Amino acid sequence: MGKLPTPVKPSADHLLDAPLEDLLAEFGIELNVYAIDEPGFTGIAVVKAGRIRFILPEGRPSAEHDMMARAMLGRTLHVDLPDLPAPYQLSEFDASGQSVTVNPRRVCAA
């Protein structure tokens, strides 16, 4: 697994514009693709013992892999990125396993 990056926070433009392979190398992130037969599953970021690993399902379009890896990278590095398009969403799980949707953000009525 990749090591957690240095405290320097990248810009959103950098995370959205740089080639994905370069970003993964820059931040030491290991990316694995596995046969996962869950229609709604688009990826997971595992942060453990100071290391980061992204797991993506095989057989999906490269554009989906790219989008989800960038979204997970932004969340992992605490960089505010634009909302994901429907039907995609990014969730975090707390220590008890409860899921909280973090992207797309909820829209509040004015």
Side-chain angles (χ1 to χ4, degrees):
M1 283 198 262
K3 290 188 175 193
L4 283 174
T6 59
V8 177
K9 185 175 174 179
S11 70
D13 286 340
H14 180 60
L15 293 186
L16 294 173
D17 295 338
L20 182 59
E21 296 79 23
D22 293 352
L23 291 171
L24 296 174
E26 178 181 349
F27 297 104
I29 296 172
E30 180 183 336
L31 186 138
N32 301 112
V33 177
Y34 292 108
I36 299 171
D37 191 23
E38 288 291 326
F41 178 80
T42 54
I44 188 169
V46 179
V47 180
K48 185 175 180 182
R51 302 174 77 74
I52 303 170
R53 186 172 90 187
F54 292 166
I55 299 170
L56 301 173
E58 74 178 4
R60 301 290 178 81
S62 61
E64 180 181 284
H65 279 176
D66 186 90
M67 175 182 64
M68 294 311 299
R70 289 175 194 276
M72 291 187 299
L73 183 59
R75 188 63 188 179
T76 302
L77 299 176
H78 307 286
V79 175
D80 192 28
L81 295 178
D83 280 344
L84 291 167
Y88 297 98
Q89 70 179 35
L90 195 61
S91 301
E92 284 188 2
F93 294 86
D94 64 19
S96 67
Q98 292 296 319
S99 171
V100 176
T101 301
V102 294
N103 189 319
R105 295 174 234 8
R106 291 188 179 135
V107 177
C108 297

